[in-house]
Amino acid sequence: MTTLPDWLGAYALDDDTLAVLANRGLVRRGNKEADRLAVLAASDAEVELSYQGTPPATLRLLPGGPTAARCGCPVAGVCVHVVAACVWARTQRADGPPVETVETSATPPVEVDETTSPALTELLALDPARVNRAAGVAAVRRVAAGIELTPTTITPGQGSVRVSWPGSPEVVAVPGGGFAGMLVGGRPTDVEHRALRLEAVVRVWAAEGRSWVWPEARGAEDAVQPGQLEALDAAAAAVETLLVSGLSRVSDDGVARLRAAAQRARLEALPLLGVLLTGAAGRAAAVAAREDDATERDLLEALGRAWSLASAVRAAATRDARAALPAELVGGRRGQGETAQLGQLVPLAARWWLAPSGARGVTVTMWDATHQRLETVSTGRAAGQDPTFQHSWTMPLLWGASAQTICAGPFTLIGAERRDDGTMSPTARTRLVPGVPFRDAGLDLDELAQQLRDGGTAARIGFRPPAADVRLVRLRRMFGAGQPELDEVNQQLVWPLVDRAGVRHLARMDASGPEQSLVGWLIEDDKQIAAVVLDRRLRPLSLFVVEQGRVRLISPSLTPPQRVVRHGWFTRRAQPQRPRAFVASVQPAVPPLAELCEAVLDVCEALASTGRPALSARQRDTLTRRAQQASEVGLSSLAAAVQPLLDQPVAPAAVLTASVVAGRTLVLAESPSA
């Protein structure tokens, strides 16, 4: 007979406690599925269970309670198998006697028989220094600054203890789980989850007449904390590890390290670093999945941005550990509910999207004409939720306004708020105030395109990630938009666009998506397309159409065509050939400075992709000549960044430094004002 470890009692939770972990529905299902679990192996380190249902799954129960359990099913978060494992664990031990609820206040101590509540005993034995470190700087500051010791309800139960106070969800401590194994009801964010657990522990200590020991300088918002230094080191190590193994061979483990470093940065009150690492993890996941539009160059750029920020914050902290960190490096305090400073917003694009999971939503890109910067906002619904949220041009989708209202012309927002990642919040507390629509006000598309180029340059050379990577292509008056052609391999329509400089752009769209219907209507009706907004993947996000001398903004994924195109791209009848103007594919000459930077970036990409710590003879010759050229034209920073690449072996930090400096120099070289 298999001997089960003693710590399995941390999983033996009653139905009320399991409802805090998951929900009542999962608890009911877990009770029905518990008899389908069988023990595969058991030791003091873990218990491995097999779920013999459809589909089958394997669970690993680890010390620390149900939050430490791991299941092989694809469900994110707590699944029915973990709940069933907790129900199964109840059958492996005897139930203890119930204990009545005790109402407490912040002042008098609470007399509780600790022998009937091991979890309460563990809470009182926690080390404040370790708990503060585990909670993170952001949670410590939030609790230390805002806690009010209002009456607290402490309910010892069958080994566990439940803690609640006015306005809070229920927090449950399980025996053997410690601080990390505490359960919190609802769906709080990671920082809120840790802050609620920390506040519950502080309240239990206060109820026992004991004072919590806070870390020093907790009130200084930007003072450097030891946990922040550890988060910076973890971020740099996660990035450099990917370069050592090679970006072309990035694995799920590398992606997980980046995401863990991003979570640690957010917990340690470094929101900007967390955003950059999260973006880098997304690009790393795309490279690992071998997506066609995911390149090692893009991943290297994202990793370099995050690594350089971590290095800059580390340098600022090293100079003076007692000084406040620069706000532009920390990222500011942009928590939910903070008012965003916005001016007049010019809509650029509204795109409806559908995720593989079935989730759907809309993303709007805007240009802040007052502050000369791009802004984005996204909202969506999970699969099967909110049937009123539908693909529509006229129904309210965002801020109580429809896509038609948003795209009608410039507008302002009252009560605008930002998310932690810097994007606009889609909260219903924000109200949209329409301005003068495009049809009644003149819109200088050439000036808008120039502003987008200048604003994109400023965003790309800073630490913050660009709000959106879009460009406005001004089409020539005659034959600026060609006939889309089918790319059978990728099942996409390739739409040739020629701008006023004669440069040809190949926009791409799904062959079976709604975009092809609207574009087909525009082309067959000979509508004048003045400009097209493209994203970094050359997808058409929106089109500026001229109707009776007035500009109108339409969305290929949302705007319904005014006339149904009866013949698709594959079965269209032959039309008489119209005289076509000769269009030369003119490519602008590459400036010498841009060519220099591209050569350095090519070598950096090769080193990062392969993970080789040594240069080939050709790469060494290229870098030697480019370093000399950089010195001759006065680019001492670029020359100094290239020089460490000539050392043996080549360090990952040298590759990242050179790629960051060369990338920023290239952006400036390609800017219109360069």
Side-chain angles (χ1 to χ4, degrees), residues 178-363:
F179 177 76
M182 298 176 69
L183 312 178
V184 179
R187 294 183 178 180
T189 63
D190 198 4
V191 174
E192 292 172 348
H193 194 280
R194 293 172 184 258
L196 287 168
R197 285 186 283 150
L198 176 60
E199 184 169 354
V201 176
V202 174
R203 287 177 176 275
V204 169
W205 274 49
E208 284 292 319
R210 301 169 61 179
S211 299
W212 189 256
V213 181
W214 297 105
E216 297 181 0
R218 66 181 185 277
E221 283 294 308
D222 293 319
V224 182
Q225 300 293 329
Q228 292 179 312
L229 298 179
E230 294 178 2
L232 295 172
D233 294 339
V239 172
E240 293 177 7
T241 300
L242 288 185
L243 267 70
V244 171
S245 60
L247 300 185
S248 296
R249 296 185 293 271
V250 62
S251 63
D252 294 338
D253 292 339
V255 177
R257 280 193 293 269
L258 286 176
R259 288 174 175 164
Q263 181 189 40
R264 182 67 185 275
R266 288 191 295 269
L267 294 176
E268 299 299 342
L270 298 171
L272 179 55
L273 180 59
V275 169
L276 295 182
L277 288 170
T278 300
R283 295 194 182 184
V287 172
R290 303 296 185 264
E291 295 184 6
D292 293 338
D293 56 352
T295 65
E296 286 81 0
R297 173 73 70 87
D298 291 338
L299 176 56
L300 179 60
E301 193 276 335
L303 294 174
R305 191 184 290 267
W307 182 86
S308 59
L309 176 63
S311 301
V313 178
R314 204 28 158 135
T318 303
R319 285 193 298 268
D320 189 354
R322 297 183 178 181
L325 292 176
E328 62 271 15
L329 301 182
V330 174
R333 301 292 177 262
R334 300 181 303 183
Q336 184 178 6
E338 180 177 347
T339 302
Q341 301 298 325
L342 299 175
Q344 186 183 52
L345 300 175
V346 180
L348 295 177
R351 182 176 67 88
W352 179 268
W353 48 264
L354 183 66
S357 63
R360 75 279 186 204
V362 63
T363 298

Side-chain angles (χ1 to χ4, degrees), residues 38-74:
V39 180
L40 295 178
S43 65
D44 291 338
E46 69 175 26
V47 175
E48 188 174 2
L49 301 178
S50 173
Y51 173 72
Q52 301 172 349
T54 305
T58 301
L59 295 87
R60 295 173 56 224
L61 307 185
L62 304 174
T67 57
R70 299 293 181 265
C71 181
C73 74

Side-chain angles (χ1 to χ4, degrees), residues 374-397:
L374 283 166
E375 299 284 357
T376 60
V377 59
S378 293
T379 185
R381 302 294 187 273
Q385 293 186 1
D386 192 3
T388 62
F389 188 82
Q390 301 177 1
H391 177 276
S392 173
W393 177 244
T394 57
M395 291 179 59
L397 294 176

Side-chain angles (χ1 to χ4, degrees), residues 348-349 445 448-449 452-453 470-476 480-482 495-499 505-509 518-519 522-523 527-535 538-546 551-556:
L348 295 177
L445 292 176
L448 179 59
L452 285 175
R453 285 194 294 267
V470 299
R471 53 177 161 170
L472 182 66
V473 178
R474 290 281 282 126
L475 302 187
R476 59 188 303 170
W495 187 21
L497 305 172
V498 182
D499 63 19
H505 308 266
L506 297 179
R508 292 183 173 269
M509 50 191 163
L518 185 132
V519 172
L522 293 176
I523 293 178
K527 294 288 185 181
Q528 182 184 349
I529 303 175
V532 179
V533 178
L534 301 175
D535 65 0
L538 296 182
R539 292 180 303 181
L541 301 180
S542 65
L543 300 92
F544 284 93
V545 180
V546 179
V551 175
R552 176 190 176 198
L553 178 62
I554 60 179
S555 167

Side-chain angles (χ1 to χ4, degrees), residues 242-249 603-620 645 647-652 654-655:
L242 288 185
L243 267 70
V244 171
S245 60
L247 300 185
S248 296
R249 296 185 293 271
V603 176
C604 291
E605 181 184 358
L607 292 173
S609 299
T610 60
R612 291 182 54 210
L615 295 171
S616 65
R618 183 174 182 178
Q619 290 173 339
R620 180 174 294 276
L645 294 177
D647 297 336
Q648 295 290 344
V650 181
V655 177

